[in-house]
Amino acid sequence: MVSCTACSMINWKKLAIAIPITALVNMIVLYGLFMNPISQEVIFSESLGQSPKLVSVWTQIDPVPQTTSLIPALVITPAIFSFFFAVLYDSIPGHSKIKKGFAYAIILWGTIAVFFELFTPLGLFGEPLHLLVYELGLWFVGMIVSSMVLSLIYSPKQIVNDQ
């Protein structure tokens, strides 16, 4: 049988509180960063060199993605990364909640955002590098905010040593 020693240290009550709050914050922040009129103008601007293929996928080719189709990713992903935050808590660099939140944000950014942006917008659609950097900046802000909220809410179980 497989055992998870880190799982015994998970504060399930705090995690149950952190997941919906982090998911809501993640959804609001990332949606707000990417879907606001300024970002939409920049991201979909063919005059800034955006790939016509990327613009077509988002605006013309059926089925055109709906903003509601983004909600599962913006809700389910934070539930998963919140669970892993709890499992990996002791291994995340830093001794304060702020430092752990920041370190975890960098981990998430490097594994989620960088992979996605390099694979899909750059690799599949040929997005130019300056727009890729802009989007990675948006992702960085979103991951920082979401990870900080998660870190400020969650705390592991405390070990009581009987001596």
Side-chain angles (χ1 to χ4, degrees):
M1 185 168 150
V2 176
S3 68
C4 175
T5 55
C7 293
S8 66
M9 292 304 301
I10 292 175
N11 186 336
W12 294 101
K13 290 178 185 175
K14 288 278 191 173
L15 186 59
I17 293 166
I19 287 174
I21 294 170
T22 302
L24 182 63
V25 167
N26 186 69
M27 184 171 60
I28 291 168
V29 171
L30 285 177
Y31 187 85
L33 287 169
F34 280 91
M35 302 306 274
N36 72 70
I38 295 168
S39 287
Q40 290 290 289
E41 184 69 30
V42 170
I43 292 169
F44 294 117
S45 174
E46 289 187 45
S47 67
L48 290 175
Q50 185 56 275
S51 160
K53 186 176 180 181
L54 185 138
V55 175
S56 293
V57 165
W58 278 93
T59 62
Q60 298 168 357
I61 299 173
D62 286 328
V64 173
Q66 302 297 311
T67 54
T68 55
S69 68
L70 303 173
I71 292 173
L74 294 172
V75 172
I76 294 169
T77 303
I80 295 167
F81 75 62
S82 295
F83 173 74
F84 281 107
F85 180 80
V87 170
L88 300 170
Y89 189 85
D90 289 336
S91 300
I92 298 169
H95 295 292
S96 70
K97 289 182 174 256
I98 298 296
K99 288 180 181 175
K100 283 193 179 286
F102 189 77
Y104 197 60
I106 292 170
I107 293 166
L108 291 177
W109 180 80
T111 55
I112 296 171
V114 173
F115 172 79
F116 170 76
E117 290 294 333
L118 291 178
F119 184 78
T120 305
L122 180 69
L124 297 178
F125 298 132
E127 182 172 60
L129 291 177
H130 60 282
L131 293 176
L132 186 87
V133 169
Y134 175 77
E135 292 167 14
L136 284 171
L138 298 178
W139 274 104
F140 188 74
V141 171
M143 293 291 96
I144 292 289
V145 172
S146 297
S147 295
M148 288 296 180
V149 167
L150 171 60
S151 185
L152 290 171
I153 295 170
Y154 181 79
S155 58
K157 284 183 182 176
Q158 298 299 316
I159 298 174
V160 178
N161 292 328
D162 295 327
Q163 294 186 23

